[in-house]
Amino acid sequence: MKKIEFIIVGLFLSLLIVSPINAAYVDLTIDGISLSNDGDVYYPSSGEVTIDVWIVGEGETLSNYSFDILYDMSEGISFLSGEEIEPSGWVSFSTFENSTPYVQGIEALNFMSSDIVLDDRVQVAALTFTYDLQLLVDDGLPDFEAFYRSGQAMTFVEDGLPVTYQPESIGADLAAVPVPAAVWLLGSGLLGLVGLRRHDR
């Protein structure tokens, strides 16, 4: 009997510990594709990529937020421009130095001035980056990430009290389009034929 009581108490406590605000997170959508949950590889097709910054929630009241977007300059990624989407006047785009693997980051978001209810998704910014195709590496590491420095967080109102939360979020790993295996096979075959012709001569 004590074992059953222990299990019931444990389940009750776990419900109290898991706050509903944990459903909220930052989504970094690259060129309109959401890869933030697993940091999949993304093969860009032009010299620029656009990172749309979304805050996603399920009915939470968000009173303010402050976090940075980091990007990997070691792969030739450079910040080109930023546009605030919603709400107006709450976004700054100053840059700062950061630790590896992110050589530099952009301070993309700053404090809100009033409460909003996150019924679904709120796009707060669109950031445009350029890149050097020769430097892009498929290394399995995200090239974009929402990062919280000391004192930065998202603040929600729960039962009339402020609750701070730092949802993890990563973006895609940019990589150059891989050369198909068939092309390598054809190329090696052609080189072999050239070698045979020279050998016959």
Side-chain angles (χ1 to χ4, degrees):
M1 189 69 180
K2 287 184 177 180
K3 189 174 183 181
I4 295 174
E5 290 174 357
F6 180 78
I7 293 173
I8 292 173
V9 171
L11 288 172
F12 179 72
L13 289 175
S14 66
L15 289 174
L16 289 178
I17 293 170
V18 179
S19 171
I21 65 170
N22 290 337
Y25 64 98
V26 180
D27 186 18
L28 303 179
T29 300
I30 181 168
D31 286 345
I33 302 171
S34 179
L35 301 174
S36 295
N37 293 330
D38 48 21
D40 284 345
V41 176
Y42 180 73
Y43 304 103
S45 58
S46 66
E48 297 180 3
V49 292
T50 299
I51 302 295
D52 293 327
V53 184
W54 299 78
I55 298 178
V56 184
E58 297 178 2
E60 300 87 358
T61 299
L62 179 63
S63 62
N64 59 63
Y65 61 80
S66 181
F67 56 88
D68 304 311
I69 302 299
L70 304 185
Y71 59 97
D72 193 348
M73 275 187 63
S74 67
E75 294 190 26
I77 300 172
S78 300
F79 174 63
L80 181 63
S81 63
E83 175 189 4
E84 57 184 10
I85 305 298
E86 181 185 344
S88 177
W90 293 354
V91 180
S92 65
F93 299 106
S94 57
T95 58
F96 70 98
E97 295 298 318
N98 198 69
S99 58
T100 55
Y102 301 95
V103 181
Q104 189 179 30
I106 170 170
E107 185 179 342
L109 306 175
N110 224 315
F111 285 100
M112 286 194 207
S113 58
S114 60
D115 297 345
I116 60 171
V117 177
L118 294 173
D119 289 326
D120 188 17
R121 301 167 63 88
V122 176
Q123 183 180 356
V124 293
L127 312 175
T128 303
F129 296 86
T130 59
Y131 59 87
D132 185 339
L133 189 61
Q134 304 299 320
L135 296 178
L136 292 183
V137 179
D138 182 359
D139 55 8
L141 298 173
D143 288 327
F144 302 92
E145 181 178 343
F147 176 79
Y148 301 86
R149 285 180 285 158
S150 177
Q152 291 184 320
M154 301 175 72
T155 302
F156 298 87
V157 178
E158 185 177 306
D159 297 327
L161 299 174
V163 179
T164 58
Y165 177 47
Q166 295 177 326
E168 293 183 0
S169 181
I170 59 175
D173 177 17
L174 296 189
V177 177
V179 179
V183 174
W184 288 115
L185 187 61
L186 177 63
S188 60
L190 290 174
L191 286 174
L193 288 174
V194 170
L196 283 174
R197 284 192 79 143
R198 288 186 176 178
H199 182 269
D200 291 341
R201 288 180 181 177

